Amino acid sequence: EIVLTQSPATLSLSPGERATLSCRASHDVHGYIAWYQQRPGQAPRLLIWDASNRATGIPAKFSGSWSGTDFTLTISSLEPEDFAVYYCQQRSDWPLTFGGGTKVE
Amino acid sequence: EVQLLESGGGLVQPGGSLRLSCTVSGLTFSDHAMSWVRQAPGKGLEWVSTLSVGTYYADSVQGRFIISRDNSKSTLHLQMNSLRGEDTGLYFCAQMGSAWGGWFNNWGPGTLVTVSS
């Protein structure tokens, strides 16, 4: 099973600041990582797919990058609605797995 | 607009069964793989099962849960048997990008399953 380790668990920032979230895979996932945002009381929403592609309707302030087994989600300038929990997920192999999440507060 | 809506959750005793359903609109249902993802209270996301060109289950539910679909009704099901306390959580259905799989493009709001005596 591919384990995804997200860091930090909590990121304390202010509106307007830049957020950098990390996700490390235990094995090569060939870039097959997605990022999801989950606001309180809501279902997750796909933000980034295949490590660096924004999903439909996702603003340009969200960007993804990767190197080897290290993946990064960057939010360029935080707005109030961006304070949420973010999960990475891999589809390189079964079982599909999620990281433990990073809460941006 | 793609919409997914789960139903069938509720309170069930350990060892009991429950059948979840997810109705989908706004796309050609048969063109997409479908999945179930769950979230225990206050915890992270856990993939449960995917029905694509093959059928896949998490080890934690293998042999107890059965995923199925009715393309004529644009509906996904999850038959859950031999339920345990650790199965408690919010169950989301998710539409994937293609018939063979992909990402979780769209999600329903979830249905709550509580396993308790």
Side-chain angles (χ1 to χ4, degrees):
Chain A
E1 174 175 319
I2 294 174
V3 176
L4 300 178
T5 302
Q6 290 190 242
S7 61
T10 304
L11 197 52
S12 298
L13 295 168
S14 299
E17 290 192 299
R18 182 184 188 91
T20 303
L21 289 67
S22 296
C23 173
R24 173 167 289 177
S26 61
H27 300 80
D28 186 0
V29 294
H30 310 288
Y32 291 134
I33 285 285
W35 291 91
Y36 299 85
Q37 176 195 65
Q38 187 177 31
R39 294 170 175 152
Q42 294 187 16
R45 176 175 70 143
L46 178 65
L47 297 177
I48 300 288
W49 55 275
D50 286 1
S52 60
N53 298 283
R54 276 189 303 277
T56 302
I58 301 302
K61 63 181 174 180
F62 292 96
S63 63
S65 62
W66 63 296
S67 176
T69 57
D70 291 328
F71 296 83
T72 301
L73 173 69
T74 302
I75 310 171
S76 60
S77 178
L78 285 166
E79 298 182 70
E81 63 268 24
D82 301 329
F83 291 89
V85 180
Y86 294 82
Y87 295 95
C88 58
Q89 179 242 327
Q90 66 81 22
R91 67 170 181 87
S92 176
D93 198 9
W94 302 96
L96 305 181
T97 51
F98 289 90
T102 291
K103 182 178 183 179
V104 178
E105 63 173 28
Chain B
E1 180 190 4
V2 178
Q3 292 189 331
L4 296 83
L5 185 62
E6 304 90 343
S7 60
L11 174 63
V12 61
Q13 292 189 340
S17 297
L18 213 52
R19 189 190 196 210
L20 306 184
S21 298
C22 171
T23 56
V24 182
S25 60
L27 50 72
T28 303
F29 181 71
S30 58
D31 286 350
H32 296 271
M34 295 293 298
S35 293
W36 290 95
V37 176
R38 67 185 180 185
Q39 187 168 36
K43 302 298 184 182
L45 301 172
E46 179 190 15
W47 169 76
V48 173
S49 179
T50 295
L51 184 53
S52 60
V53 293
T55 306
Y56 305 90
Y57 297 97
D59 286 347
S60 58
V61 307
Q62 178 77 49
R64 300 188 298 123
F65 290 12
I66 300 172
I67 190 172
S68 63
R69 65 192 297 163
D70 184 340
N71 288 338
S72 68
K73 297 182 179 179
S74 297
T75 301
L76 178 73
H77 299 288
L78 185 68
Q79 177 66 43
M80 304 188 297
N81 302 321
S82 303
L83 283 162
R84 307 166 180 168
E86 55 264 37
D87 296 319
T88 292
L90 191 60
Y91 282 71
F92 299 101
C93 72
Q95 168 248 322
M96 304 184 83
S98 70
W100 55 266
W103 301 110
F104 303 121
N105 287 27
N106 292 288
W107 300 62
T111 186
L112 183 62
V113 172
T114 303
V115 183
S116 174
S117 56

